[in-house]
Amino acid sequence: MKRKVLSVLLAAVMTLSLAACGSTAATDGQSTDTAAAAEDSTGGEASDETVSGEKVVNVGLGGSVTDVSPYKAPDVIGYPIQFTMYETLFTTSGVSSQETLPVVGKSWEWIDDTTVSIEIFDYVHDVDGNPITAADVVFDYETQKAAATQTDTAYIESVTATGDYTLELKLTEASESTLIKLLTHVNIVNQAAYEADPETTPGTTAYKLTSYTSGSEFVYEKTGNYWQTEELTVYSSQANVDKVVFQCIPEKTQMTIALETGEIQMAVGVDGMEALRFDEGGENEEGFTVDSNSGSFSNTFIFNVTEDSLCKDENLRKAILYGIDRDAIVSIILSGAGVVAKDMASDQLAGYNEEWLNEDYYSYDADKAAEFLAQSSYNGETLRLESDSSNGALLELIQTQLGAIGIKVEIQTFENALWQEEKVAGTGESNWDMCVDGVGGSLVTNTWKVKFNPDNFSTGLPQNGSTDTELVDLLLQAASTQDPADLDAFHDYVVDNAYAIGLYAPADKCVTVDTISDICYNHMGYVVPCASNFDAYQ
């Protein structure tokens, strides 16, 4: 029997906490005597809350957030809010780590090849005092699976409470990497509280949502009644400010103005060119710090290879890939804040082969694009390129690039929730030929499986609709062994057949006033604002 029981020793948790986020000493009760002192530390006019003695941080998000419910589709813009509001069973110390740290869950162990027994702490409650039991966790996992907004929940065969604080999770496959993803990605809430308020369900962190205007502002205040003991509070659950105000600021220049005027003290997802204004040598260098982080996320370009799409033609696919200038995409769309991808997965993930970085991975070549286009069956038809609405500018640039090599492209975008339904080729609802879709994970094989494991999709085929059994066999072999030769084999097969490529991996820019330090990034590689270091912040 394979067994893995988590230790919750004080020393281990404290060491990981300090390594991930720097010092996170408590900051309650520090006060500011004058508005001038507050103005000096924030770079702008002091708020009433700051003067009154609370530590308040205003955080700008580079987009609009309208949904903060616990089972929503993944949303990169809204992640800082999600992590401020909800806890998961476990976390890890970093993006590529497979070692879990206890959060709501106390320990877990395999009881057979596909079944794990989980124990949760027996004193967990949400911000309204509602207790969290094993029955609530079962509800959370079943509801998340039914929502179909996270592909890994397709691997849940069953989840059953075995006691007030114990449960069993049975998977459809024997895979520890799949298990780790499931243990660390499902938000935990009280069932009755969710059913009473699905949209703004009381969370399980140290912060309570106290007011909000959808799409504009979300205010969270520290309850002072977090359920976990101080010594067992994991690094990403630290609560180092009294109040956090999230402001949605989609326009990149407005984010800069908000930082300059002191309206916000932290900006997450700042445009690369705008971030240069606050970096060393920039005009706003004094009083600010720019933190850059490459996490688990990457953007991919996928073809529909069903019989209904012209992109079933391999020569057409290769012409398109050679016609996309990804260096220009990184320069224009990311303002240089990112790198051209050399696989669908981010190079930060476990299992990534650094030799892939030196490969010729469909580098832009107009001559090769023309050569393959001439060999294809393409006859001037209009191809449809789709994605969620956050990628609108990217799609327009790709449309222009492909137009330059003689390929007509029509664009359609969808709101994130609708995109989760639309993006599966061959469902009868989807008629895209090419799509752009984000992906993350901790292992490269997790990323690949999200797109190419048939078990994830109602069609019984990969997202691109392929019936190529060798593609699936190579994927499952690589996921099972994690052997470098098997990883190379799948990577090469996808490239050789031009089924998909990675477009880019962004380098997220977080700009803060310089009294906020040691920006905290969680197991997914995203900023957790309140767990950063505010020791010097007033």
Side-chain angles (χ1 to χ4, degrees):
M1 176 188 302
K2 186 175 183 181
R3 178 179 177 87
K4 183 172 185 177
V5 181
L6 293 173
S7 169
V8 292
L9 295 174
L10 168 62
V13 174
M14 290 301 291
T15 299
L16 286 164
S17 297
L18 292 172
C21 292
S23 173
T24 49
T27 57
D28 294 346
Q30 297 186 21
S31 62
T32 314
D33 294 329
T34 66
E39 181 176 351
D40 286 343
S41 66
T42 61
E45 294 183 1
S47 67
D48 292 339
E49 293 88 352
T50 305
V51 176
S52 69
E54 287 186 311
K55 283 203 171 186
V56 181
V57 61
N58 296 277
V59 179
L61 302 178
S64 181
V65 179
T66 58
D67 185 356
V68 296
S69 59
Y71 314 117
K72 60 173 288 188
D75 175 14
V76 173
I77 300 299
Y79 273 153
I81 292 180
Q82 175 182 317
F83 303 138
T84 301
M85 196 168 183
Y86 302 113
E87 298 284 30
T88 55
L89 285 179
F90 299 90
T91 189
T92 65
S93 60
V95 170
S96 62
S97 174
Q98 295 290 285
E99 291 297 321
T100 54
L101 304 174
V103 187
V104 171
K106 184 177 182 181
S107 64
W108 63 268
E109 62 176 327
W110 289 105
I111 57 177
D112 62 37
D113 287 345
T114 59
T115 309
V116 66
S117 174
I118 302 168
E119 181 182 4
I120 66 171
F121 289 103
D122 60 8
Y123 46 78
V124 185
H125 59 78
D126 67 21
V127 292
D128 287 347
N130 302 302
I132 302 296
T133 67
D136 296 305
V137 176
V138 169
F139 173 80
D140 293 327
Y141 274 75
E142 290 179 337
T143 306
Q144 184 71 77
K145 180 176 180 178
T149 53
Q150 291 192 28
T151 55
D152 288 276
T153 56
Y155 299 109
I156 298 175
E157 181 171 310
S158 64
V159 56
T160 310
T162 56
D164 289 343
Y165 303 103
T166 57
L167 61 147
E168 287 185 0
L169 176 63
K170 187 172 182 60
L171 307 183
T172 60
E173 64 175 25
S175 170
E176 185 160 312
S177 62
T178 297
L179 173 67
I180 300 304
K181 185 81 176 290
L182 289 170
L183 292 178
T184 58
H185 280 65
V186 175
N187 293 323
I188 304 302
V189 298
N190 175 274
Q191 177 179 352
Y194 172 79
E195 293 173 339
D197 183 9
E199 293 185 0
T200 56
T201 305
T204 39
T205 66
Y207 292 92
K208 178 180 175 66
L209 177 64
T210 56
S211 67
Y212 71 97
T213 301
S214 182
S216 177
E217 181 179 275
F218 296 83
V219 180
Y220 291 84
E221 297 187 50
K222 188 174 177 178
T223 64
N225 190 32
Y226 183 53
W227 52 269
Q228 187 56 285
T229 61
E230 182 178 354
E231 59 268 22
L232 295 182
T233 299
V234 75
Y235 73 96
S236 53
S237 298
Q238 300 290 326
N240 296 330
V241 288
D242 299 301
K243 182 176 179 179
V244 56
V245 181
F246 291 102
Q247 298 183 27
C248 300
I249 310 176
E251 170 51 49
K252 59 186 180 182
T253 57
Q254 290 301 315
M255 184 83 86
T256 295
I257 293 170
L259 284 164
E260 291 173 336
T261 60
E263 180 182 348
I264 60 174
Q265 295 79 48
M266 176 184 288
V268 181
V270 179
D271 173 78
M273 292 300 293
E274 295 297 311
L276 291 175
R277 298 163 64 95
F278 301 91
D279 215 340
E280 186 175 351
E283 58 192 88
N284 294 325
E285 170 188 6
E286 186 174 353
F288 292 95
T289 299
V290 178
D291 202 75
S292 183
N293 180 66
S294 296
S296 63
F297 181 80
S298 57
N299 239 349
T300 62
F301 188 91
I302 303 172
F303 290 105
N304 180 341
V305 298
T306 66
E307 287 301 313
D308 295 329
S309 173
L310 289 174
C311 290
K312 62 180 179 290
D313 183 331
E314 181 179 323
N315 286 319
L316 176 58
R317 298 198 300 269
K318 290 182 176 179
I320 290 169
L321 294 184
Y322 278 118
I324 296 175
D325 186 344
R326 288 174 293 141
D327 286 307
I329 288 174
V330 169
S331 176
I332 296 169
I333 301 301
L334 301 182
S335 298
V339 295
V340 171
K342 290 299 187 77
D343 183 79
M344 292 173 60
S346 163
D347 62 8
Q348 300 297 303
L349 305 190
Y352 193 96
N353 184 347
E354 291 190 2
E355 292 182 1
W356 298 341
L357 298 173
N358 300 317
E359 291 180 350
D360 181 10
Y361 187 72
Y362 291 105
S363 299
Y364 173 70
D365 189 322
D367 292 336
K368 285 186 178 180
E371 176 185 339
F372 281 108
L373 189 60
Q375 297 174 32
S376 76
S377 58
Y378 181 72
N379 237 341
E381 299 92 339
T382 298
L383 303 180
R384 178 166 291 194
L385 173 62
E386 296 186 352
S387 187
D388 69 82
S389 54
S390 69
N391 284 315
L394 171 59
L395 300 192
E396 290 176 4
L397 180 54
I398 293 175
Q399 179 187 46
T400 299
Q401 291 178 346
L402 295 183
I405 63 168
I407 296 176
K408 297 178 183 177
V409 174
E410 175 183 276
I411 291 173
Q412 186 165 358
T413 61
F414 301 82
E415 290 304 315
N416 194 34
L418 291 176
W419 175 238
Q420 303 307 312
E421 302 173 8
E422 171 71 12
K423 69 183 184 180
V424 182
T427 60
E429 303 165 356
S430 171
N431 58 356
W432 54 269
D433 299 292
M434 307 166 288
C435 79
V436 171
D437 200 17
V439 68
S442 56
L443 297 175
V444 293
T445 50
N446 282 350
T447 296
W448 297 340
K449 285 167 68 177
V450 166
K451 302 305 177 192
F452 289 117
N453 192 342
D455 290 343
N456 284 341
F457 306 104
S458 60
T459 59
L461 299 172
Q463 182 175 331
N464 68 347
S466 172
T467 57
D468 184 347
T469 56
E470 186 172 358
L471 173 72
V472 177
D473 290 344
L474 289 171
L475 169 63
L476 298 182
Q477 175 74 7
S480 174
T481 68
Q482 296 296 315
D483 183 271
D486 292 332
L487 297 172
D488 281 342
F490 180 80
H491 166 88
D492 292 345
Y493 194 80
V494 173
V495 173
D496 291 344
N497 288 276
Y499 283 137
I501 61 167
L503 291 175
Y504 60 76
D508 289 335
K509 299 291 185 179
C510 180
V511 180
T512 67
V513 293
D514 59 10
T515 51
I516 303 173
S517 61
D518 303 317
I519 305 304
C520 184
Y521 298 93
N522 70 359
H523 64 293
M524 294 169 64
Y526 293 103
V527 174
V528 186
C530 298
S532 300
N533 187 335
F534 291 83
D535 287 353
Y537 177 80
Q538 296 293 326

